[in-house]
Amino acid sequence: MQLKYKIVALGILPLLLAVAVICALVVFQNQKLGEQQAQLIENGILASKRAELKNYVAMALSVIAPLYADGQGDARAQRLALQALAEINFGRDGYFFVYDEAGRNLMHPRQADLVGKNMWNLTDPHGLLAVQALLASARADDGFLRYAWQKPSTGQVTDKLAYVVMLQRWGWMLGTGIYLEDVQQAIQQAREEIASEVHATMLAIAAVALLAVLLVFACGLTLNVREHRLADSRLQSLNRRIINLQEDERSRISRELHDGISQLLVSIKFQFELASHELDAAQAKGLETLRRAIERLGGAIGEVRRISHDLHPSLLDTLGLSAAIGQLAAEFEQRCGLTVLYRDDLHAVQLPDGVAVALFRIVQEALTNIERHAMASTAHIDLGQVAGAVQLEIEDDGIGFNPRQIEQIQGGIGLRNMRERVEHFGGTFSLASTPGCTRIGVALPVSLSGAVPFPARRVEA
């Protein structure tokens, strides 16, 4: 995935995830509040229905009260009471019903075919023994029961809320009920209104999310264009640096070849020619001249080896980092006359090639800087390991410098190279300098658990 798409995805995906979570929370909370509101509506309507049913039953009791209070001629009083109750009705589906304690229907003005039948084992569509439950509710003085019953006006079975009381002396259960279709319609209407509100809320959130996504996309596109230009500028600068470094390195090698190897080879050529003439002339000094030429040839070979070692030390591949730094320190001490104290606690552990080369080049660059600028007499090189990392410290007792100032000028390329090498491997680089002490610290994360030590010797200065 290209950088610009990564930036846009990084901005949009968390936003979409947050919007999705918000939408889920809004839907959940609205549904929860909707159910609570529907429950409140249902409870309110049912409370009013219960009060209404109590009033109807109280009215029916007041109608038959004179007959029930008359203790004489109970059979005639009961017959008259049933006739009076059958004539009382309210609305299309409001009526009273009477059962005896055995579950036999004594009066039902809307369903005459039930009169005289034993309904003890009658169950509604929900499996409820309706008549038994009504009798139990009446005996418990609660009186209210919700069950399913056939609605006379439509012939459909629907929910019904009944209120019943016991007439103990006659052994009757008197009750009435109200069908709950209007309650269900009110609750359904409330749920539909809540669903409509949820839908409107979701549309509003979607509109806000769309605007936010467009805004993020525009900002991401702007940032991408800016970062792309900045990256191009940095890439061009890096290319120029690489070209300059390549040219500097080529110039250095060219100078060393021209001023060192070339001059030595020319001198050796002259020595061999002189020795050839002297030997042809049978002069005794011809052998001495030949020996001097051979000595100079050895010096030329050593110079070639030094240049090759500077380009890539073969000892780094054969004996490892510890020995390569030891040889570098020894050669530096011989060449410059400085005292180099090298302490190696890495125990010749074999490091990854990239890490070993980076640490070697850092030491090489640091010693070069000490030779050219520090005016020091002693240098310390400390190579070791800490938890999960290789640690390198280089210290000298030179004149010091201002690290901030030196990195801002052209002469700070070496320090920048050190820092970039360390950052490439995810390590840490520290630099501190005062008159009399300059310290460079490097720590590169390396897994040493499976490292294999070099079997060869270790070279130290």
Side-chain angles (χ1 to χ4, degrees), residues 163-401:
Y163 179 67
V164 292
V165 295
M166 291 298 298
L167 301 177
Q168 297 293 343
R169 194 154 56 84
W170 288 353
W172 285 7
M173 178 186 68
L174 169 63
T176 187
I178 296 178
Y179 294 93
L180 300 178
E181 284 183 339
D182 55 344
V183 177
Q184 295 173 352
Q185 291 174 357
I187 295 173
Q188 182 63 28
Q189 182 179 359
R191 287 196 172 101
E192 290 176 355
E193 291 177 355
I194 293 168
S196 177
E197 292 176 359
V198 170
H199 182 68
T201 303
M202 294 293 291
L203 290 178
I205 294 176
V208 173
L210 180 60
L211 291 176
V213 167
L214 293 176
L215 180 61
V216 170
F217 181 78
C219 293
L221 185 60
T222 304
L223 179 62
N224 176 66
V225 172
R226 179 177 175 275
E227 291 297 326
H228 188 68
R229 292 177 179 174
L230 182 60
D232 288 342
S233 175
R234 290 179 177 176
L235 183 59
Q236 293 175 2
S237 176
L238 180 60
N239 289 334
R240 287 194 296 269
R241 276 190 59 194
I242 292 174
I243 293 173
N244 292 334
L245 290 174
Q246 288 177 343
E247 292 300 324
D248 291 343
E249 186 67 14
R250 289 171 181 171
S251 299
R252 183 185 69 82
I253 296 174
S254 175
R255 285 194 303 271
E256 290 185 353
L257 291 176
H258 181 271
D259 298 339
I261 299 297
S262 178
Q263 298 297 328
L264 281 173
L265 292 178
V266 170
S267 175
I268 291 169
K269 177 178 178 293
F270 290 153
Q271 290 285 339
F272 277 119
E273 290 177 350
L274 179 59
S276 176
H277 291 305
E278 290 176 346
L279 290 175
D280 289 340
Q283 295 181 7
K285 60 181 181 179
L287 292 176
E288 182 64 24
T289 304
L290 183 61
R291 280 194 294 271
R292 287 198 301 269
I294 293 173
E295 290 177 358
R296 291 197 177 188
L297 181 60
I301 293 173
E303 186 70 13
V304 171
R305 185 181 296 111
R306 183 188 66 79
I307 295 174
S308 175
H309 180 75
D310 288 343
L311 293 175
H312 185 78
S314 59
L315 197 62
L316 190 64
D317 298 327
T318 57
L319 297 182
L321 178 64
S322 300
I325 292 180
Q327 181 184 12
L328 179 65
E331 292 176 354
F332 178 81
E333 189 174 37
Q334 293 174 3
R335 185 176 72 251
C336 301
L338 274 71
T339 301
V340 180
L341 303 177
Y342 174 42
R343 187 168 67 90
D344 172 27
D345 291 334
L346 197 58
H347 307 301
V349 173
Q350 183 178 7
L351 300 175
D353 292 339
V355 174
V357 171
L359 291 173
F360 181 83
R361 291 304 183 192
I362 290 172
V363 175
Q364 192 176 42
E365 185 69 36
L367 292 178
T368 301
N369 289 339
I370 292 173
E371 178 184 4
R372 292 178 179 176
H373 311 293
M375 300 181 184
S377 60
T378 305
H380 296 265
I381 302 175
D382 189 357
L383 180 65
Q385 54 180 301
V386 294
V390 176
Q391 191 171 33
L392 172 67
E393 289 188 359
I394 305 168
E395 182 179 338
D396 67 78
D397 57 356
I399 59 175
F401 59 92

Side-chain angles (χ1 to χ4, degrees), residues 32-53:
K32 184 178 179 181
L33 292 175
E35 289 299 325
Q36 293 176 352
Q37 184 177 356
Q39 190 64 40
L40 289 174
I41 293 173
E42 183 178 7
N43 292 339
I45 295 176
L46 290 178
S48 65
K49 296 295 184 183
R50 289 189 181 96
E52 184 179 352
L53 290 175

